[in-house]
Structures are given as structure tokens and as C-alpha cells.
Amino acid sequence: MMDVREKRVLVCGMARSGIAAAKLLCEKGAKVTISDLKDEASFGGALEELRALGCAFALGEGPETHLAGMDLVVVSPGIAWAKPFIGQAQRMGIEVIGELELGARLTRGTLVAITGTNGKTTTTTLVGELFRATGRTTHVVGNIGYPITATAGISRDDDVTVAEVSSYQCEGISTFHPKVGAVLNITEDHIVRHGSMDVYIAMKRRIFANQTAQDVAVFNYDDATCRNMAEGLKSHVAWFSRKEAVPYGAYVEDGYIVLKMGERCEAVCRTDEVYIPGPHNLENALAAVCITGALGVPAETMREVLRTFKGVEHRIETVRELDGVTWINDSKGTNVDSTQKAIATMTRPTVLILGGSDKKVSFDPLAETIREAPQIAHCVLIGDTAEQIREALERVGYTAYTMTGYDFDLCLATCRKLAQKGGCVLLSPACASFDMFTDYEHRGRVFKEKVMAL
């Protein structure tokens, strides 16, 4: 367990994870300085608790002027690892780590890490529910919106911590060591941050770097990139697949989810008993069965949870039915692959809301999916990427679209006019949200509030 007593620590970035990291460090006896480019007034009193804990503040300026004398620098995931101050600190002999790394070093009990391009939040939440159903105290943390440093200080040896891990967080790990790690899938995403797909994949693979033969690495057998990522690992590899039987892991056979690990081979439940809909959610369920099966969760427990687990907010979430039209919030559809999966779950004529801030990816695969999906009746395009999506749709000959710019009220009014009775309106933008909203959760909340007000 890491000892930070009396160490001078600079915490960079005061979003949720930075605030949680600073509190944890103070509670563990560190001498903490908080750095953020925003001034104190921007936090609206949120830093008062940290001041009471003895934190010093370096706000409204960069961290590079406060590195001298520091023993440790902790960086929030929103700060890219390419920032010059990080290299400067390392050249000065100061250890630099991410908030996830700090939390993992101070967490007791069993650590599970789940990453991938899509499905992370649903699978992480489901795995947490499966462990809780066994009676174990379980902390569900990480990129899911609740920092690992918020629970590290209260974790105990018998607890389970299930962490959703993003590629951003992987930039700042070094000794991070989950008992079970999983990659759910890999598709193009976050190229602006990482510069290339190769770097993005390498970041994801870092969660396995410190595993040993006593640990388990879980991969999606149906994803060719995942299969390649499994090569050369020290840990024991387990697979999940909805397309074929795997030698060790979870798969579908004769309409059942089957768990096969060594001498253990048992049917968990029928695939049509999984409450959350769609083939992508069947993959999430298989991943959760594989992860928890590796740690001994009984099949009966899995069966009960899979039959009742209703998914997570902002992921194919029914908001309401109005005038015979169902409005669905999939604001968490922040990339092309995620929106393609949402489209696959639609069975009725659907008006699809697309667009947001630019992640420098191609929309051509999405346009092909829309052209070939008879259930997509019309697309309403918003935000920074509306023109790029329009061009992609035009290239495949799809012309049933309307541009509404940055006016979200106009977007919803347009959807209401276009939607057919018995059909759906689906918000699944295939983009990040920062052009019009603070994050995907804000976008989803605004959507729900405005839809409920119609």
C-alpha cells in the first residue's frame, strides 16, 4: 500500500476525479497543492471542503510553476499526457501518475478493470450488480463518473472494486494491476487525443501490463483486434463470444449463455431472458458472465441479475411515449460504432438525431448502416459535425435528413413533426457533446427534460 504521509503532492485538474484525489491524499496525510487553469470563483464554493482539509491552491495558472519541491504529481484524465509540464516534472525526477493509478495503489480488496470502445458503462454496472448480489461490498468506479479515489480510502480486503477504464486514464498508469481485466471491443475513437489507432489500442492494452499467470484477461473473441491484443500476455486469457463456442469463457449455445471454465461448464440462462435488449447487450452480458465467472460468482446469481438488470441512464433509455411515439435517450452513443449498435436495436420507424463535436473519425460506415437500415426513416443533424454527416449520407445516396444547426429546441420540434405514430425518436449522436453541452450526461438530461416538457 502506497504511503503518502508528509509527501508534497501537486494535483492537476479539478474536475470530479481531481477533487476526489485531493481529498484522499489529504486524508492520508499528504501536503496537497491543487492546480487548475480556472480561477476559484469558477468552482462556486466546491473547494471549501478541500481548504478545510489544508489544501493549498494554485488556480488560474499552469502547474509548471509549482513543480519545484514536489514529491508526486497526480494528473486528472482530462489532461493529455503530452502536456509539456508532465515531461518537465519527469525530468526533475518527480513521479507523475494519473488519478486512476493513485486510486488503485490505495485500494484494498479485489480490483476488476473493464475497458473497450463501447459497452463499458453497461458492463461495469452489470458486473457491480453481480458482485453485490453475492453479498460482497462492491465499489463501481472510474470513467463511469465516480472516481476510484472516492472509494479507495474506505475499501476493505474483502471488497470488490469494479473500474470502468478509459484510454485517457490508461495514459497515467504504471503499477495498475487488476485481478481481472477486460477489453470489450475496439473501434475507431479518440484519435484527436491519441493521434492514431495504434496508440489508442496500446493504451487499452496497458491494463494487462502488470498481470501475472494468477490473473485473468478477458477479451471479445468476435473482435479481431481483441484477439490480437491477447497475444503474448502473462495472464490467463478468457473469451466471450455470441457467435461461436470458446474453449475457456462464456458463449452462446442453443439459445443459452454458457459458462465454461476448466471443469466448470454450465448454462447460465436463455439469451431471451437477458432483460436489456439488442445483440450488443448480449455481448455485454457475456462479458459480465465471463468476468464474474472467473471470480467464482454462481450461475444462479448471474441468472437472477441478468433477468432483472435494466441497463444504465443515457444508454437506449426510454424517456416517454407521446402521441404514439417513443422517445429514446442514447446520449452515451458518442461514437460511430455505438450508434450503429443502437440502430440495430430499433424495430420501428425511427427518426435519428445525429451530430456533435468532432472526434476526427469517418462517418462513412455510419452512413452505410443508415442506408441499409429500413427502420431509420429520417435523420436530424445537429452541431459541429452536421455538415460532415450530411456529406457522408449524400455519398451513399441517403437524402432523408434535415439540418437544424445548434438549435436543440428546433431539432426536437422537427423530430416531433417527422415521427410516425407507432415509431421512435432516437437521440444517438455518434459524437461527443462539447459543442453544445458540457458532457454526454448533460446532453441526455437536457434531452429528457425537453422531451418531458413537450
Side-chain angles (χ1 to χ4, degrees):
M1 186 70 66
M2 183 184 192
D3 186 1
V4 296
R5 285 175 297 177
E6 299 302 315
K7 288 191 174 181
R8 296 183 62 185
V9 184
L10 182 65
V11 178
C12 304
M14 281 296 105
R16 279 177 288 197
S17 60
I19 290 172
K23 287 175 64 176
L24 176 64
L25 287 161
C26 287
E27 290 164 0
K28 294 292 185 181
K31 298 177 179 179
V32 178
T33 300
I34 292 170
S35 170
D36 197 285
L37 293 175
K38 297 191 293 290
D39 60 25
E40 188 166 350
S42 303
F43 292 97
L47 304 182
E48 288 306 311
E49 184 179 0
L50 292 172
R51 177 174 279 110
L53 288 170
C55 282
F57 294 90
L59 302 176
E61 54 187 318
E64 56 275 358
T65 57
H66 300 276
L67 294 173
M70 292 295 169
D71 300 302
L72 178 69
V73 174
V74 177
V75 181
S76 295
I79 297 174
W81 216 247
K83 291 289 184 181
F85 82 88
I86 293 178
Q88 181 182 343
Q90 291 169 332
R91 288 190 295 274
M92 293 168 67
I94 305 169
E95 184 178 21
V96 185
I97 61 174
E99 180 267 343
L100 178 69
E101 173 74 16
L102 174 69
R105 291 187 188 186
L106 294 172
T107 292
R108 295 161 61 185
T110 302
L111 177 61
V112 174
I114 298 168
T115 191
T117 305
N118 294 307
K120 295 188 297 296
T121 299
T122 298
T123 304
T124 300
T125 306
L126 176 54
V127 168
E129 290 301 306
L130 286 161
F131 281 120
R132 287 189 182 118
T134 68
R136 296 183 71 174
T137 299
T138 304
H139 311 283
V140 178
V141 300
N143 192 57
I144 202 165
Y146 194 65
I148 188 172
T149 46
T151 63
I154 60 171
S155 61
R156 297 293 179 262
D157 291 340
D158 291 335
D159 293 0
V160 180
T161 296
V162 186
E164 177 187 327
V165 178
S166 73
S167 59
Y168 291 9
Q169 290 171 312
C170 289
E171 289 181 331
I173 60 178
S174 55
T175 67
F176 185 74
H177 184 171
K179 179 66 179 174
V180 179
V183 178
L184 305 180
N185 47 62
I186 296 289
T187 57
E188 189 178 35
D189 203 8
H190 298 306
I191 304 304
V192 172
R193 171 77 170 245
H194 298 301
S196 72
M197 273 297 290
D198 287 343
V199 174
Y200 174 61
I201 293 166
M203 287 299 109
K204 295 289 192 186
R205 199 175 187 271
R206 292 189 74 187
I207 68 168
F208 306 110
N210 299 303
Q211 284 193 319
T212 70
Q214 283 68 54
D215 304 314
V216 179
V218 173
F219 292 96
N220 184 346
Y221 189 81
D222 303 333
D223 185 305
T225 304
C226 285
R227 289 201 302 273
N228 291 334
M229 290 173 76
E231 294 179 5
L233 295 182
K234 296 177 184 176
S235 42
H236 190 82
V237 175
W239 305 97
F240 65 92
S241 171
R242 66 180 176 87
K243 296 180 178 178
E244 57 187 284
V246 295
Y248 191 92
Y251 56 93
V252 175
E253 185 174 70
D254 297 330
Y256 281 84
I257 291 177
V258 175
L259 177 65
K260 181 181 180 183
M261 290 185 165
E263 295 182 359
R264 182 183 182 185
C265 185
E266 53 191 325
V268 174
C269 67
R270 295 194 313 273
T271 56
D272 60 9
E273 292 180 278
V274 178
Y275 188 93
I276 47 178
H280 64 291
N281 278 323
L282 176 56
E283 288 185 2
N284 296 336
L286 287 161
V289 166
C290 193
I291 292 163
T292 57
L295 291 170
V297 172
E300 313 85 73
T301 302
M302 297 177 187
R303 186 176 305 119
E304 279 304 308
V305 173
L306 291 173
R307 284 171 172 170
T308 56
F309 177 71
K310 292 180 171 61
V312 297
E313 188 180 17
H314 309 302
R315 192 70 182 109
I316 315 184
E317 174 193 16
T318 298
V319 179
R320 73 180 294 195
E321 185 175 312
L322 176 65
D323 299 332
V325 175
T326 302
W327 293 73
I328 300 171
N329 169 30
D330 190 49
S331 183
K332 207 170 188 318
T334 59
N335 57 58
V336 166
D337 184 66
S338 184
T339 296
Q340 287 174 311
K341 289 174 177 175
I343 290 170
T345 69
M346 297 297 106
T347 57
R348 294 181 285 168
T350 299
V351 177
L352 174 62
I353 302 171
L354 292 170
S357 53
D358 194 357
K359 296 169 97 173
K360 305 297 182 187
V361 300
S362 170
F363 293 106
D364 289 342
L366 177 61
E368 290 283 357
T369 297
I370 290 168
R371 184 189 65 179
E372 295 170 5
Q375 68 270 35
I376 302 302
H378 202 95
C379 295
V380 177
L381 311 182
I382 61 172
D384 286 352
T385 58
E387 180 60 25
Q388 293 177 51
I389 297 171
R390 184 197 69 78
E391 291 172 357
L393 292 172
E394 288 278 2
R395 279 194 291 273
V396 299
Y398 187 94
T399 58
Y401 61 81
T402 302
M403 312 274 282
T404 59
Y406 297 89
D407 189 335
F408 207 47
D409 289 315
L410 175 60
C411 167
L412 299 187
T414 302
C415 291
R416 190 172 185 182
K417 290 177 183 176
L418 290 166
Q420 305 171 29
K421 189 173 183 178
C424 302
V425 174
L426 170 66
L427 170 70
S428 188
C431 299
S433 55
F434 307 117
D435 54 342
M436 296 169 63
F437 305 94
T438 56
D439 53 29
Y440 79 83
E441 292 169 317
H442 179 220
R443 177 170 61 192
R445 286 194 302 270
V446 171
F447 177 75
K448 292 196 289 184
E449 289 165 5
K450 289 182 178 294
V451 167
M452 292 306 296
L454 289 175

